[in-house]
Structure formats: structure tokens, C-alpha cells
Amino acid sequence: MPQTRGYDIKGDRVLFREQRHCIHSHEVKKKQGKNAVTKRPQSLRARDTCCTAAIHLWLNRQRLSHTHPLEINLKYTHNHMINSAESLSFRQVKKEVHEELLELFKDGHSPSSALYVYQDKLHLEASDEQELIELLADRSVNPDYDYVAKLFQEYREAVLGSRNGKSMFSRLEEVIKDYNDSGLGNAILQEYDARTGKSFILCIVTGLMSRIHEKVPQAAEICYVDASASFEPLNTSITLLYTSCAIGALPLGLIVTSDELEITLEKAFNMLKTILPPHAFYGCGPQTGPILFLTDDSSAERNALELCFPKTIRLLCTFHILQAFWRWLHDSKHHIKKEDRVSIMTKMKKILYALLSTEMDAFYHEFKQEFYHSYPQLQKHFELLWERRCLWALSYRSGLPTRGNNTNNYVEKSFGILKDIVFARTQAFNSVQVFQFITTNMERFYQRRILGFANKHPGHLQIAKRFLCPGWESVCQNGILETNVMNEFLVQSTSQDSGTFYVVNSEFGTCSCPVGISGAPCKHQGAVSMKFHISMFNFIPSLTPDDRIIYTYIALGYVAKDRSFYASLHAKPAPQSQEIIHSEMAVPNNTLILEIKELSEENKEVDILEFSSFLEEMKLDYQNAGQILRTSLDKFKDRYNAAKSKSIPRLSSFLYDLNRNIDPMARINSGAHIRVQVESVKRRKTQGSSNKRRISVPTRNEKENLDPQAIPARKKKKTGKKEHNLSVHIVKNQPN
């Protein structure tokens, strides 16, 4: 029963005195005073029934010697049913229920989801239907939504602070200090202040990111940088720094800023350098940075990187260059004829993708002769692009460790993961919650992703097919030679009657072939790895238990106590017996080439004999087997002829894909599902309404005494979602 009156104990005679009343008493309204606002006094949900039931407790010192010293005056005169569903719906919520709801909020539940989970638990715990009816009717164990929503609002203000302004930054400072003291990572903050012109900057390097800097070699070679917004109502910008390896994209650092101005980004990158570990970028150091930065064509971002990392090379994403050029062609102000757009774009792509500078120059001169006289605006625009060709043309990237990556697709996909999985398509309440999502949810996501790879338990992890080095089986094993240079091998080209040899370096994961020259995986690397049983980070099947231990350390900073936990299920085959020919030079001499050619011819004869015996065996199977097998072979013959009639490469693809339903390695995604980042769906509701509209933030003109630390909300670009497939739009001659 609620307390009607508490008495102040004076003197030594009375030790305890208290009076309580029924929750439906008129005393409730008296105690609430002005707060008791009843719009409809005659409402059926009015709690006041003027019930006079009460209890008076009195403990007098003089009665302590009695067997029953406590005096109880009970007035049991209820004017209503005390155990009805309606009466139970007005009871006060128990403290243990209050605490349980707080625990659900800590797990990330909203008021509605917390109430659903709690009610579902009550439902399952009920022993019979009668108990279930009483439990769900009793507000003390089954609170209403208004109570849960108010409790959530109080919890959110206590944990996250306000949505904006000084109180939010005070809470953010406390959270960052606790995070830095915990040893889980490092973060640094610059508070927003309109009076001094300071922008809001938050830099984060988690423990996982620090270990990626330490153990992933690609961190020293290439770093993708991109920015996106719509993570919380103020529309602050998040800038990601990522590298890539066989697992996919891995984070190196993260920056949150109130704007994307050059001066803000320069300050942010310099602040980030102060919290990067000494071994940042695989030992290059935070002041030096990686060899390459790959970005889109944002002048503010690129200039800031140049000022903060002057020793690095900054390249442009080829997709964004082509996309911007295609949109320029479709702009009506430039007067490009519709029938000429595709041919102009085709020439542009030839210039961009040319691997040799001589080819690029030849395509450029053809471009000028064909289009410059008809389109003066195109001439002016393309000449500006041509002056910056070293940033986007592939012919200028020969020898650079791009690992075959010329676009920002890795970081674009990572933004999709951040919004879809980490933020669950829901905007954060404020920057404090953004920080918590990044340091907890995002950290756990990448830990599980890396552990799945280390444990050979990938789940939904999609591995790029190129890291399986498809086609390595076609490389002649006897045409692979080990040189006298450590970790270097000579691999004969698979082209027919070719005397070309490629140099493979297993330590750096490179090959002198057109595909592997930039460090991308190629079939020659896979063939070397399989023949000599060498671990190469470009070839996933070659990874050893030691490599898996390293990935476990990256994920958790810890490895299993027993190293046998990472042992391979299948025993490794013994190395092939081979005659190792040492060469004094990296390029074989004519005598060596002749010997290898003779050996190759001998192998061809052996292969033909083996294949002839296979065909004879298939012929016998067709003659002697039953109708089911003959029907299957007939279908195979029809499909073989159909594929051959189109082209020999199509026939090869058909034969390679025969095992697609048997070999699990053939079902690994080849990376075609990478899409451009998408706009965040607004799902936060305004207070006191069900409309899904954005919560408004007052501008400085609307309020004179605005908090100088309140970040003004940035406007969002109202752009429709577009398909991330430029080639399709070029064929259709429509804007992308």
C-alpha cells in the first residue's frame, strides 16, 4: 500500500510510526496536488474510487517488553475488488522488475523491444493459464509501455547525456577517459565551440585496429579513405581508414567530425597520428604513413592527407573518375549528343585502363582527333583531367603495391556493414552512442569475422575468389624452377608455345605477370605455393596453422593455449621430389629455356596419353552402363558442343564450372556483390508522436542563448539511391 503519512520521530517514546492507504484512495490525489491532472474525472481508467481502506503502524518503546510490541490499526474497508485485473493494473512496479528492464536497455534494447522480451519471458515462466492471466494483468510484474518508455528516457539521459551541447560533451569526455584507462584502445576528442571556431573531432583507434597495424603487411602498402554521414541526427561525418587482405577490408582508424572542411580534416588526421601505435602501418610509423592512399576526388580530403602524410602517394578511385565523367557527359549544359556519349566514354575507359604509357598516349591522341573539334567544352574538361592523369591512369600504377585494387569498393562496402550491421539501420541518439557502437559493436563484428577465418569457420564470410588463385592447376608444375635468390621462383607462362617466364616472389606475394605485378593474386603464385608448399598471404589454401594463430591474435590479442588447436585436419603432402636448377640470374638463359621447352613437350605427350585413356574409359562406360548414365553423357555432349560453338573461353568456363554443386570452394563469392553505400533509414521517432520524422535542432537564429557547444545539424543531400553498376548504365546510355 502507498504511504499516506510518515511521522517524524521525536523523543524516545515512539520508535516507529507510519500510515498507509489503498492505491485507490482519494489520498493519492491529495498528495499529487497540482500534478494530478485528470482530463476526464469520470473516466473508467480513473484510479480514485475514494477507497477508505488503510493501515496504521505504531511502535512504542514502552511496549518493547510485550510479546507483540507493534500496534497495528487495520481498516479493511475496500469499496472495490482487490484482486481484479483492473485493480492489479494500477499497482506500483517492483524494484526487481525495474532492474531487469535496465539490464535489457544495457543490452541495446529499445523500450518496445525490452518490453516484448520481458513479457515473453513472463509468458514462458507461467506454470498454467491462471498464473499467466494474473501475471500479465499485474502492473507490479508487467509494467505498461509508458512506464518503460519513461524509464528508458531516464536511463538514456544518465548514460548518454543530452542529444547535443555541453552536457553531451561532458558525458563523452567521461566515456573516452574510461575507455583510454581500460587499455582497450585509444581515443581523443576536440569539443565543438562556436565562439572559438573549433570543430567537433573524435578520433578512435581500437585495440583490434592497433593489432591490424602490427600484423597485416598490407597496412604498410595501401590505405582506403572515405567519408559518410547520416549516423545520428546531427549528421556528423565518419571518415574510415581501411586496408585490405584475403579476409577483406580491415579498419586502421576512424574519425568523427562535425564537417568535412580541409582545415577540420587536417586537424583530425594530426590528432589521429597522436593515438596511433608506434608500429602503425606495419612498422612505417604514424608520421610516415602507408605507401598509398586511395580516395575519391574530394579536394579537402586529399589536401589534408597531403599535409599530414607528405611522403605518401595519393591515388584516385577509378570508379569515381569514370562515374563523374559519365555524369558530366549527361549534363545538358555541356551539349554532348546522346549518340556520341557511349563512344566518348569507351575511349575514356581505354585511356584509363591502358597498362603502358605508349598505349595511353595513342588512345589520347585518337580521343582528341575524334571529339575535340566537335565539343569545345569536352576539350576544356578533358584537358584538366589529362593534367592529373598520374592520379587515375593505370599506366602510372605499374610497380605500386595496389594489390590489384584500383577502386574504393572495400571502404564503400564497409560503410554498408557499418550502417546495416553495426548501427542496425538505426540512427544513434548522439555522439556518445556513436562512440559506443564503434568501440563495442563494430569491434565485436570484426573480431568474429577474423576468428571465423582463423578457425576455418567462415559462416557468411564471403571470400574474394581471386584469393584462391583460380587457374593455378593449368600451370605446368615441372615448368616451375627455384632460383638462387631466396623466395624467388621462375614460372613458365601457360600460353601455348610460349618461352615467357615470370618471376614469383613468395615473401612479398608478387609476380612479374600483368596480373601479379601490383601484388594481386595470380595463378603463378598459387602454382608455386602448391608445388613447394609455401605459405603465401595471397593464396588462402596455403595458409598454415602459424598464420591462423596470427589472425587469432589480431582478433583478440590472445591465442589458444594449446597450439594443436590450430592444427590442420588433413596431413600435409610431402614435398614433390624435383631437380632444383639454380640460375645465376633472375632471367633464365637460352640453354635453360631450351631444356624447359623439351621437358614441356615430354609432359604434353604424357598428358595426351592420359587423356586418351580417359576417353576410352568414358567410351566403355557409355556402352556398358545403364540408361541413366547414357542420358547424362548425352546431355554433357550437347552442352559441350553448345559452349564450344560460342567460343573456346566459354567452353573452358563451362568445364571448370562442372563441379559447382560439389566443390564448396567453387561457391565462394567472387566479389560481384560490392555496392555503393546507401542512405541511412530514419527510424527514430519524435517524442510523443509516432511520426518517423527527423528531430529538429534549433538554429542560432531561432534561439538567442543557444549553447555554444551545440553542434548545428548539417543538411543531408537529397539524392536517390542509384545502382552501383556504371557499365550497365553506359550500355543503356543513361546517367549513373
Side-chain angles (χ1 to χ4, degrees):
M1 298 177 74
Q3 183 177 348
T4 304
R5 182 178 179 183
Y7 296 87
D8 294 332
I9 306 302
K10 298 180 180 180
D12 297 332
R13 292 182 59 189
V14 179
L15 300 179
F16 173 77
R17 187 179 180 185
E18 186 174 280
Q19 186 175 358
R20 292 181 175 270
H21 58 270
C22 176
I23 59 174
H24 301 287
S25 170
H26 191 65
E27 295 292 333
V28 176
K29 193 171 183 180
K30 288 182 180 179
K31 291 185 66 177
Q32 289 177 344
K34 295 180 180 180
N35 294 329
V37 179
T38 306
K39 295 182 179 179
R40 292 181 296 171
Q42 303 303 320
S43 171
L44 295 177
R45 280 296 298 171
R47 180 166 59 176
D48 184 7
T49 64
C50 296
C51 181
T52 59
I55 185 172
H56 190 183
L57 307 175
W58 190 325
L59 180 61
N60 197 318
R61 182 179 295 275
Q62 294 178 352
R63 295 181 58 85
L64 289 178
S65 59
H66 297 186
T67 56
H68 298 85
L70 181 65
E71 296 182 31
I72 302 175
N73 185 2
L74 179 62
K75 188 179 180 181
Y76 195 79
T77 55
H78 291 287
N79 62 356
H80 55 84
M81 293 291 295
I82 61 172
N83 200 32
S84 66
E86 187 175 0
S87 177
L88 292 174
S89 68
F90 289 102
R91 296 184 67 185
Q92 291 183 350
V93 179
K94 293 181 179 180
K95 186 176 181 180
E96 52 267 30
V97 176
H98 178 97
E99 297 297 329
E100 189 169 349
L101 289 171
L102 289 179
E103 290 299 321
L104 290 173
F105 296 155
K106 291 177 183 178
D107 291 339
H109 285 280
S110 65
S112 57
S113 65
L115 184 59
Y116 174 79
V117 170
Y118 177 75
Q119 288 178 335
D120 197 49
K121 179 184 175 184
L122 285 180
H123 198 143
L124 295 174
E125 290 178 349
S127 59
D128 53 39
E129 287 78 3
Q130 181 60 34
E131 184 182 3
L132 176 63
I133 293 172
E134 295 178 1
L135 283 174
L136 295 181
D138 190 352
R139 184 175 178 270
S140 66
V141 294
N142 181 29
D144 54 277
Y145 179 79
D146 289 342
Y147 175 86
V148 179
K150 185 177 180 181
L151 180 63
F152 176 78
Q153 186 176 3
E154 294 172 355
Y155 165 79
R156 185 173 61 185
E157 290 178 357
V159 174
L160 302 178
S162 63
R163 190 177 292 276
N164 197 358
K166 186 176 181 179
S167 60
M168 182 196 73
F169 282 113
S170 299
R171 181 58 185 157
L172 186 56
E173 279 185 345
E174 296 174 5
V175 172
I176 290 175
K177 184 179 184 303
D178 293 340
Y179 182 72
N180 291 338
D181 293 341
S182 68
L184 298 175
N186 291 300
I188 188 171
L189 169 69
Q190 175 179 282
E191 298 182 10
Y192 179 87
D193 195 328
R195 295 167 298 186
T196 58
K198 287 185 177 180
S199 299
F200 166 54
I201 299 174
L202 173 61
C203 303
I204 305 171
V205 178
T206 65
L208 173 70
M209 296 175 186
S210 178
R211 294 188 291 273
I212 292 171
H213 279 280
E214 178 186 1
K215 294 296 184 180
V216 178
Q218 289 89 338
E221 299 172 345
I222 187 168
C223 178
Y224 312 93
V225 182
D226 200 7
S228 184
S230 298
F231 291 93
E232 44 91 23
L234 298 178
N235 200 29
T236 53
S237 174
I238 291 184
T239 301
L240 298 180
L241 285 80
Y242 271 64
T243 191
S244 62
C245 61
I247 298 177
L250 294 177
L252 297 174
L254 185 143
I255 296 170
V256 184
T257 56
S258 56
D259 58 69
E260 297 179 19
L261 299 176
E262 180 181 333
I263 188 172
T264 303
L265 293 176
E266 179 188 354
K267 176 69 174 177
F269 285 130
N270 283 326
M271 289 173 61
L272 179 68
K273 288 161 63 175
T274 63
I275 60 173
L276 285 173
H279 54 259
F281 302 108
Y282 201 62
C284 295
Q287 300 301 324
T288 303
I291 298 173
L292 302 174
F293 276 114
L294 191 60
T295 69
D296 57 13
D297 201 2
S298 168
S299 58
E301 189 175 87
R302 293 178 53 77
N303 292 340
L305 287 171
E306 183 177 3
L307 292 171
C308 299
F309 300 96
K311 297 181 180 180
T312 60
I313 301 172
R314 290 157 300 282
L315 301 178
L316 289 174
C317 169
T318 55
F319 170 80
H320 286 97
I321 289 293
L322 293 174
Q323 184 186 54
F325 187 69
W326 182 244
R327 289 177 178 175
W328 187 93
L329 292 176
H330 271 269
D331 193 335
S332 59
K333 295 184 297 184
H334 303 137
H335 308 292
I336 306 297
K337 294 180 181 178
K338 184 176 181 179
E339 57 270 18
D340 289 339
R341 291 170 185 165
V342 175
S343 56
I344 292 174
M345 193 65 188
T346 303
K347 288 290 184 182
M348 169 60 179
K349 292 174 70 174
K350 287 183 178 181
I351 295 171
L352 186 145
Y353 289 119
L355 297 179
L356 300 177
S357 58
T358 53
E359 293 180 357
M360 182 188 66
D361 291 338
F363 290 137
Y364 168 65
H365 289 298
E366 292 178 7
F367 186 90
K368 289 199 302 183
Q369 293 174 2
E370 190 171 351
F371 303 112
Y372 273 18
H373 66 281
S374 302
Y375 302 109
Q377 286 183 308
L378 174 64
Q379 177 181 355
K380 182 179 179 180
H381 178 72
F382 195 81
E383 286 301 317
L384 293 175
L385 277 176
W386 182 252
E387 292 175 1
R388 305 170 65 212
R389 60 189 180 277
C390 59
L391 303 177
W392 49 263
L394 298 193
S395 59
Y396 283 87
R397 301 185 182 186
S398 177
L400 294 179
T402 60
R403 300 284 174 187
N405 302 305
N406 295 301
T407 68
N408 248 1
N409 283 345
Y410 272 119
V411 73
E412 298 272 7
K413 181 66 175 178
S414 299
F415 270 121
I417 291 172
L418 198 62
K419 292 181 178 181
D420 290 340
I421 299 175
V422 177
F423 282 77
R425 306 305 303 165
T426 304
Q427 286 191 331
F429 175 71
N430 61 7
S431 296
V432 180
Q433 195 169 37
V434 170
F435 177 83
Q436 292 176 344
F437 279 159
I438 292 167
T439 55
T440 56
N441 298 20
M442 178 178 170
E443 188 88 341
R444 290 196 299 267
F445 170 81
Y446 282 103
Q447 284 176 346
R448 292 192 296 270
R449 187 184 184 95
I450 298 172
L451 284 176
F453 186 84
N455 297 337
K456 293 188 176 180
H457 189 280
H460 294 288
L461 174 63
Q462 294 179 337
I463 300 171
K465 195 173 182 179
R466 64 195 183 110
F467 287 105
L468 302 176
C469 297
W472 65 266
E473 304 94 337
S474 63
V475 178
C476 178
Q477 295 285 307
N478 293 321
I480 304 175
L481 305 173
E482 186 177 8
T483 69
N484 60 352
V485 180
M486 185 177 294
N487 301 318
E488 277 196 2
F489 303 85
L490 299 176
V491 183
Q492 187 179 16
S493 173
T494 56
S495 301
Q496 293 183 355
D497 300 327
S498 174
T500 304
F501 283 81
Y502 299 118
V503 180
V504 173
N505 189 301
S506 60
E507 181 180 4
F508 299 110
T510 59
C511 177
S512 59
C513 72
V515 176
I517 189 66
S518 65
C522 68
K523 57 186 177 183
H524 309 107
Q525 298 176 46
V528 169
S529 177
M530 293 302 292
K531 178 174 182 178
F532 293 96
H533 309 297
I534 300 171
S535 173
M536 298 178 66
F537 53 74
N538 272 346
F539 188 47
I540 290 176
S542 71
L543 296 181
T544 64
D546 289 338
D547 297 320
R548 296 166 62 193
I549 289 174
I550 291 175
Y551 282 117
T552 304
Y553 169 76
I554 292 173
L556 301 176
Y558 168 86
V559 294
K561 296 179 180 179
D562 189 357
R563 292 176 63 89
S564 63
F565 179 80
Y566 303 98
S568 177
L569 179 64
H570 304 282
K572 295 290 183 182
Q576 300 178 13
S577 58
Q578 57 184 338
E579 180 184 356
I580 301 177
I581 303 176
H582 294 280
S583 173
E584 297 181 357
M585 301 177 61
V587 181
N589 55 32
N590 294 334
T591 306
L592 183 60
I593 293 175
L594 182 61
E595 292 177 357
I596 295 175
K597 279 187 175 182
E598 293 174 355
L599 185 61
S600 300
E601 293 297 329
E602 183 180 348
N603 288 333
K604 286 181 180 178
E605 294 178 2
V606 173
D607 292 342
I608 291 173
L609 291 175
E610 290 181 356
F611 192 73
S612 299
S613 62
F614 166 71
L615 293 177
E616 290 294 330
E617 183 179 356
M618 182 179 290
K619 181 179 178 181
L620 292 174
D621 290 339
Y622 186 85
Q623 293 174 348
N624 303 327
Q627 184 64 31
I628 297 177
L629 181 59
R630 282 198 292 271
T631 303
S632 301
L633 290 175
D634 288 337
K635 289 184 177 180
F636 169 75
K637 179 196 67 174
D638 295 338
R639 293 172 182 173
Y640 180 95
N641 292 330
K644 183 179 178 181
S645 64
K646 294 182 179 179
S647 66
I648 296 299
R650 182 64 179 269
L651 175 62
S652 301
S653 299
F654 164 72
L655 294 174
Y656 270 118
D657 288 344
L658 284 177
N659 66 340
R660 182 160 296 277
N661 294 324
I662 301 174
D663 186 3
M665 302 299 285
R667 295 198 296 273
I668 295 180
N669 192 295
S670 63
H673 293 293
I674 294 178
R675 298 181 178 87
V676 73
Q677 63 197 26
V678 293
E679 287 294 324
S680 176
V681 177
K682 316 301 184 301
R683 291 166 59 183
R684 289 285 183 191
K685 295 182 181 180
T686 57
Q687 187 174 359
S689 72
S690 61
N691 294 331
K692 296 182 180 180
R693 60 177 181 270
R694 183 181 154 208
I695 298 173
S696 61
V697 178
T699 62
R700 191 164 298 277
N701 295 330
E702 296 173 355
K703 208 169 185 180
E704 293 182 2
N705 299 322
L706 188 66
D707 185 352
Q709 289 190 284
I711 305 172
R714 298 168 60 210
K715 293 183 179 179
K716 296 181 177 66
K717 297 179 180 179
K718 295 183 179 180
T719 56
K721 182 179 177 182
K722 296 176 181 177
E723 187 180 0
H724 191 58
N725 198 333
L726 183 61
S727 59
V728 172
H729 292 143
I730 292 174
V731 172
K732 295 180 179 179
N733 199 359
Q734 64 185 25
N736 184 56

